[in-house]
Amino acid sequence: MNKEKNFRTLNVAVIIFFVLIFASAVLFQIRTNHNTAIATSKAMIVQLEDVITTNENNIESLMNTLKEEYIVRAKAVEYIIVNGARTKYTPEEYGEIAELLNIDEIHIFDTSGEIVDGTNPEYYGYNFDSGTQMGYFKPMLKDHSLSMCQDVTPNTAEGRQMMYAITWMSNGKGMIQVGITPEHLIAEMRNQNISDVIKGMPVVNGMDIYVFDRVDHSLEASTDKDIDDDAIAKFVSEIDRLDQKQKGSSTVDAVGHNDYMTIDNFSKYCIVVTVDAAAANKNVVINSLLLVMGLVAAFIMITIVIRKSVRDLTKSRGELQTALESAQKANVAKTVFLNNMSHDIRTPLNAITGFTDIAINNIDSKDKVLDCLEKTKKSGKILLELINDILEMSRIESENSQLNESSVEMRDVFDEISPPLYELADKKEIDLTFDISSLKDSRVYADRTRLDRVLINVINNAVKYTNNGGCVRVQLSQVENERDGFGSYCFVIEDNGIGMSEEFQKHLFERFSRENCSDTAGAGGTGLGLAVTKAFVDLMGGRIDVQSRQNEGSRFTITIPFRLQEVNESSEGITKKINEADDILKGKRILLVEDNELNREIAGEILTVEGAEIEEAVDGTEALNKIESKNIEYYDLILMDIRMPGMNGYETTRELRRRYPECRVPIVALSANAFEEDRKLSHECGMDGHISKPIIIDQLKAEISKVLRR
């Protein structure tokens, strides 16, 4: 019994709850419809006022233009009459002059302002005191330099719409007045009649527009064809109330026949826009029911979601197990990566430490020491490449790597990367050739650093894995690109080397991927080069494909889209370039700012051997003090470390550029910050170049020489 009673109570509560929601929804809908109707009415008034303003401006502009034109015609008549051979004209002769100048009437006034001659004898004797229309021209009697033109006005005698222009005769004996019917202006005014204007307004269902005269409140125009006198009287009453309160607009509910009404005084009109309340609220009940149904549906959906969540919780154990397995796989992958890293780092490190010990033990054998040093240098280079590849892969995977595009000449790319590749090929007696003869547009925008890296990696591998006496062909061609202003550049690197198995090609671009076979045993490499290459090509929006067969060779095809430059130059064949040492550093005073003693010693020794005079500073503050004491022009170049205690390299450079804005002594960054973003930061703070650590002698000399030659 109690359960049945509780159930009925619950049902009643639910019914009352939804009834309250329905009533609230109805009231909310009515209020929303009211606000919408008022906002729509105000928008309609603004739109109508814009049209009226535009029309009035057009008419005023046209009338001003006609006034100027008609004054010119009056002066033309004056010129003909005053300068003509005759001293007296008949009305018919005046008519001929009027017809010639497209004029309706010509009137000759004496100096007192009375018509004494012209095309219309019936007007003789009229003067400036003959009514308001004539009285408009009274100022002419006081100022003989004045010319006037009247607005459109009805001709007093005939009732036609006319414009009259008047000017004094050049001999001062009287005035010439012309009367013209402005057909174009009259047509424009007729077209812009307020009744026609409101007919063209985008009136929605249930809306009406009423335009009253602002002075006498007479109805000028309306979209309501059934409006009666009672409704007009109520509108006028509201307009009067509005005028008494000195307000520009008003919103009235349930006026006349239950309208939402908005009133606004504008120009010579009082504009009233009404929206029928019944039309505005005709869907209130339906909308409210839909809202209630939506709430019911939401309640049901929430119930379903809760039940689903309960079911999902039962699956959590399985999902946690899956997550655990994924974490274990990630841990295994991490272990494999660290093992590969450990092996690949320890291999060159072992060579460096081993050959260093051998060199120490054979210090008296110059040949032996030189051999050890060469192998140590080679191992250091391998270690540096490995570190660079690892760092670059990390940046790419974390999505921190960005392109740094600049103007690039494709011929220069091959000219600059080819010398070390030729040297490597010559050691193995490999015929290495480059062909860009079919290139159409040689100047593009590209990330030069990454493009160089891609080409060097692939060409270097081709030479490395080609037997002595083989050949490597590098060809660049250009194909059409669907994007305007872009070209697709196809780099083909083909060799007749040892090739690759089909199975290994599936993993070719994976990290630490190397094929284990007797032919590759002595080739070395980190196993990251092609992974980095693939990442760079993807970053540049290109693709890389490979075709290879064991013992026959490989063919790499790299296609990259580049944005074209407007100026293009014809390509020329590439020839071997031999780097010739120059004496540009001899006698140059260089300030070396570096906090690390070993780095100062290495850089100082390299530059001293090249004939430069070196001064050292251990931080930015000491560098500023040295420059202050000797003047910045004393130095030919400043080598600036970036990370230093106290004032870092960026801050020091900015301070130097601030203190000495007129003296642009070259400043070159000497930093372990090796990424393209770091080079960009160096340039933005005022540096002229960037050299990455560890210091490579050739790179150091080349960068300094490039900066000093500017």
Side-chain angles (χ1 to χ4, degrees), residues 616-671:
E616 298 179 354
V618 299
D619 56 34
T621 303
E622 184 178 350
L624 291 174
N625 292 336
K626 279 182 175 289
I627 293 170
E628 188 72 28
S629 63
K630 293 186 177 181
N631 195 321
I632 193 169
E633 294 181 352
Y634 175 80
Y635 298 103
D636 299 298
L637 176 74
I638 299 173
L639 285 177
M640 184 75 66
D641 186 25
I642 300 300
R643 294 189 180 183
M644 296 183 292
M647 183 178 288
N648 63 34
Y650 295 141
E651 296 169 340
T652 306
T653 300
R654 292 191 187 98
E655 181 63 20
L656 283 173
R657 296 307 187 203
R658 187 190 67 81
R659 290 188 185 183
Y660 308 99
E662 302 299 329
C663 184
R664 187 77 184 186
V665 172
I667 302 176
V668 177
L670 188 63
S671 172

Side-chain angles (χ1 to χ4, degrees), residues 310-323:
V310 172
R311 289 195 300 268
D312 290 341
L313 287 174
T314 61
K315 300 180 181 179
S316 61
R317 188 170 184 175
E319 293 174 351
L320 289 174
Q321 182 65 32
T322 301

Side-chain angles (χ1 to χ4, degrees), residues 38-82:
I38 298 304
T40 304
S41 298
K42 289 181 177 180
M44 180 60 67
I45 288 176
V46 170
Q47 187 175 355
L48 179 57
E49 289 174 353
D50 288 341
V51 174
I52 293 173
T53 300
T54 301
N55 291 347
E56 290 178 347
N57 290 340
N58 291 340
I59 292 173
E60 182 179 0
S61 175
L62 179 57
M63 186 175 294
N64 290 335
T65 301
L66 291 176
K67 284 182 178 181
E68 295 176 1
E69 178 185 338
Y70 294 167
I71 289 174
V72 171
R73 294 193 194 182
K75 290 182 178 181
V77 173
E78 183 271 337
Y79 180 83
I80 293 172
I81 293 174
V82 171

Side-chain angles (χ1 to χ4, degrees), residues 272-289:
V272 180
V273 176
T274 65
V275 177
D276 183 65
N281 295 316
K282 65 179 181 179
N283 294 324
V284 167
V285 175
I286 295 176
N287 291 338
S288 300
L289 286 174

Side-chain angles (χ1 to χ4, degrees), residues 93-288:
E93 290 170 335
Y94 281 121
E96 292 175 359
I97 296 174
E99 184 178 357
L100 177 65
L101 296 177
N102 197 20
I103 295 170
D104 294 317
E105 300 173 4
I106 297 176
H107 305 295
I108 311 299
F109 287 76
D110 62 15
T111 57
S112 66
E114 181 178 333
I115 300 177
V116 296
D117 207 352
T119 57
N120 300 75
E122 64 270 21
Y123 295 157
Y124 295 175
Y126 280 58
N127 56 51
F128 290 162
D129 292 322
S130 301
T132 304
Q133 178 182 350
M134 296 290 289
Y136 175 81
F137 298 103
K138 278 187 177 182
M140 295 292 296
L141 298 175
K142 297 180 180 181
D143 187 353
H144 286 206
S145 65
L146 192 63
S147 295
M148 299 178 67
C149 186
Q150 197 175 29
D151 289 346
V152 176
T153 183
N155 179 292
T156 304
E158 302 176 15
R160 291 186 300 163
Q161 296 290 328
M162 300 282 286
M163 288 180 69
Y164 289 94
I166 190 169
T167 186
W168 274 94
M169 295 182 184
S170 59
N171 56 18
K173 294 181 178 181
M175 294 168 278
I176 302 294
Q177 184 189 62
V178 298
I180 303 172
T181 303
E183 300 290 350
H184 181 61
L185 178 60
I186 294 171
E188 185 70 19
M189 295 172 66
R190 189 179 300 114
N191 291 336
Q192 296 180 4
N193 181 274
I194 189 65
S195 297
D196 294 328
V197 170
I198 66 171
K199 288 179 182 178
M201 299 302 293
V203 177
V204 299
N205 184 35
M207 176 184 286
D208 279 304
I209 302 174
Y210 307 89
V211 180
F212 293 86
D213 184 277
R214 191 169 181 177
V215 177
D216 61 13
H217 294 169
S218 61
L219 182 63
E220 296 285 330
S222 171
T223 59
D224 185 1
K225 298 179 180 179
D226 301 324
I227 187 170
D228 52 29
D229 293 339
D230 291 339
I232 293 175
K234 290 182 179 180
F235 284 141
V236 171
S237 174
E238 182 60 29
I239 293 172
D240 290 337
R241 184 186 67 81
L242 189 64
D243 288 341
Q244 292 174 3
K245 292 185 176 182
Q246 296 182 346
K247 292 183 178 180
S249 62
S250 175
T251 300
V252 181
D253 295 344
V255 173
H257 43 285
N258 296 324
D259 286 333
Y260 298 132
M261 181 168 68
T262 304
I263 303 174
D264 189 47
N265 289 323
F266 177 77
S267 184
K268 61 183 179 181
Y269 302 113
C270 179
I271 302 173
V272 180
V273 176
T274 65
V275 177
D276 183 65
N281 295 316
K282 65 179 181 179
N283 294 324
V284 167
V285 175
I286 295 176
N287 291 338
S288 300

Side-chain angles (χ1 to χ4, degrees), residues 294-309:
L295 291 174
V296 173
F299 176 78
I300 296 173
M301 289 295 296
I302 292 172
T303 303
I304 294 173
V305 170
I306 292 175
R307 290 183 178 179
K308 184 177 184 301
S309 298

Side-chain angles (χ1 to χ4, degrees), residues 487-499:
S488 293
Y489 288 76
C490 182
F491 303 85
V492 178
I493 298 91
E494 188 171 10
D495 64 68
N496 60 352
I498 62 175

